[in-house]
C-alpha cells in the first residue's frame, strides 16, 4: 500500500522541491524520456498555482507548481505514482500560504514574472494555463521585522530572569489583558 505523502514543514523544504522540480524538468530537455519526468513536463499546461523563487546561484527565477513542491521529499517518480490518488493542490496551497502569497496583478513585478513563467512554459512547448496564478515569498515590512526582533529580545531577557521575576512578569502580563 502506498503511504500518504506528508506536507512540507518549512520553506527550506519548499525551496529544495522547487530546485528539484526544475532539475528534473531540465533532464527532459536534455533527452531523458523517463515516464515520470515526461509526466511533469506534460502537465505544465495543467498547473495553475505556480511558485516563484529567486535562485541566487542561478541568478534567475525558478518556477514550480504547488502540487509538487508542497509535499516532503517530492520527486518525479513519487509524483507520478501519487498524482491521481494522493496529491491534493488545495492542501498544499494551504501550507504554502505560510511562506508565500499570490502576486497581485497590479504589483510592479507581476508582468515581469508572468512573462518569465510564460517563457518557461513555452521553452517546454507548453502554454500557460489560463487560470494560472503566481505566488511569491511574503514580504515583511521593516516594522514587522523590528517587532519580531524586539519580541526575541524580550524573550531572551525573560529567560535570564530569576523564577520570582518570571512570575512577576507573568502576573503583569495577565493583569494587562
Amino acid at each position: 500500500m502506498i503511504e500518504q505523502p506528508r506536507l512540507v514543514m518549512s520553506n527550506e523544504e519548499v525551496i529544495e522541491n522547487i530546485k528539484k522540480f526544475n532539475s528534473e524538468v531540465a533532464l527532459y530537455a536534455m533527452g531523458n524520456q523517463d515516464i515520470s519526468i515526461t509526466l511533469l513536463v506534460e502537465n505544465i499546461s495543467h498547473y495553475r498555482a505556480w511558485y516563484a523563487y529567486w535562485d541566487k546561484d542561478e541568478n534567475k527565477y525558478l518556477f514550480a507548481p504547488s502540487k509538487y513542491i508542497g509535499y516532503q521529499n517530492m520527486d518525479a517518480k513519487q509524483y507520478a505514482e501519487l498524482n491521481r490518488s494522493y496529491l491534493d493542490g488545495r492542501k498544499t496551497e494551504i501550507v504554502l500560504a505560510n511562506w508565500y502569497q499570490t502576486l497581485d496583478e497590479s504589483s510592479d513585478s507581476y508582468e515581469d514574472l508572468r512573462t518569465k513563467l510564460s517563457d518557461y512554459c513555452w521553452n517546454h512547448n507548453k502554454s500557460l494555463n489560463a487560470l494560472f496564478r503566481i505566488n511569491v515569498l511574503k514580504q515583511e515590512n521593516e516594522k514587522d521585522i523590528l517587532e519580531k526582533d524586539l519580541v526575541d529580545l524580550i524573550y531572551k531577557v525573560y529567560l535570564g530572569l530569576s523564577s520570582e521575576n518570571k512570575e512577576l512578569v507573568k502576573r503583569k502580563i495577565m493583569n494587562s489583558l
Side-chain angles (χ1 to χ4, degrees):
M1 185 171 143
I2 297 177
E3 187 176 320
Q4 181 74 22
R6 295 176 187 228
L7 294 167
V8 291
M9 301 287 287
S10 71
N11 189 41
E12 289 74 23
E13 289 179 296
V14 175
I15 292 168
E16 185 178 308
N17 283 347
I18 291 172
K19 289 178 179 182
K20 192 181 299 178
F21 178 84
N22 280 269
S23 67
E24 289 183 320
V25 168
L27 290 173
Y28 182 84
M30 294 186 302
N32 184 326
Q33 300 298 310
D34 179 88
I35 194 163
S36 305
I37 292 173
T38 300
L39 178 66
L40 291 181
V41 175
E42 291 301 318
N43 278 322
I44 284 177
S45 293
H46 300 286
Y47 302 133
R48 292 182 182 180
W50 286 92
Y51 287 73
Y53 167 72
W54 176 256
D55 189 317
K56 293 177 197 152
D57 296 334
E58 294 200 32
N59 197 33
K60 68 177 185 177
Y61 276 99
L62 301 179
F63 297 96
S66 68
K67 202 171 178 182
Y68 181 100
I69 65 172
Y71 291 101
Q72 292 180 359
N73 304 311
M74 186 56 68
D75 60 28
K77 185 175 190 276
Q78 185 177 1
Y79 183 88
E81 290 172 2
L82 302 174
N83 185 31
R84 294 271 183 226
S85 304
Y86 294 98
L87 302 182
D88 187 341
R90 294 167 299 197
K91 290 180 182 177
T92 60
E93 290 210 48
I94 290 169
V95 74
L96 293 169
N98 288 310
W99 309 286
Y100 293 81
Q101 64 189 16
T102 302
L103 189 61
D104 189 87
E105 291 183 33
S106 65
S107 169
D108 292 340
S109 58
Y110 179 82
E111 192 56 36
D112 181 49
L113 282 175
R114 186 201 62 74
T115 299
K116 285 177 171 55
L117 177 56
S118 181
D119 291 347
Y120 178 82
C121 294
W122 279 111
N123 287 340
H124 300 290
N125 298 315
K126 302 294 175 193
S127 60
L128 190 54
N129 187 299
L131 300 174
F132 83 96
R133 58 195 170 282
I134 301 173
N135 297 274
V136 294
L137 275 171
K138 288 181 178 178
Q139 299 296 312
E140 297 184 82
N141 65 41
E142 283 187 40
K143 181 180 179 268
D144 290 341
I145 293 169
L146 289 174
E147 272 191 27
K148 286 179 183 178
D149 289 343
L150 184 57
V151 168
D152 287 342
L153 175 63
I154 291 168
Y155 181 67
K156 287 177 183 174
V157 169
Y158 171 81
L159 291 176
L161 296 175
S162 66
S163 297
E164 303 88 42
N165 283 331
K166 284 180 180 176
E167 280 304 314
L168 179 61
V169 169
K170 287 179 188 177
R171 281 195 305 268
K172 287 186 176 201
I173 290 172
M174 294 308 292
N175 289 336
S176 69
L177 296 179

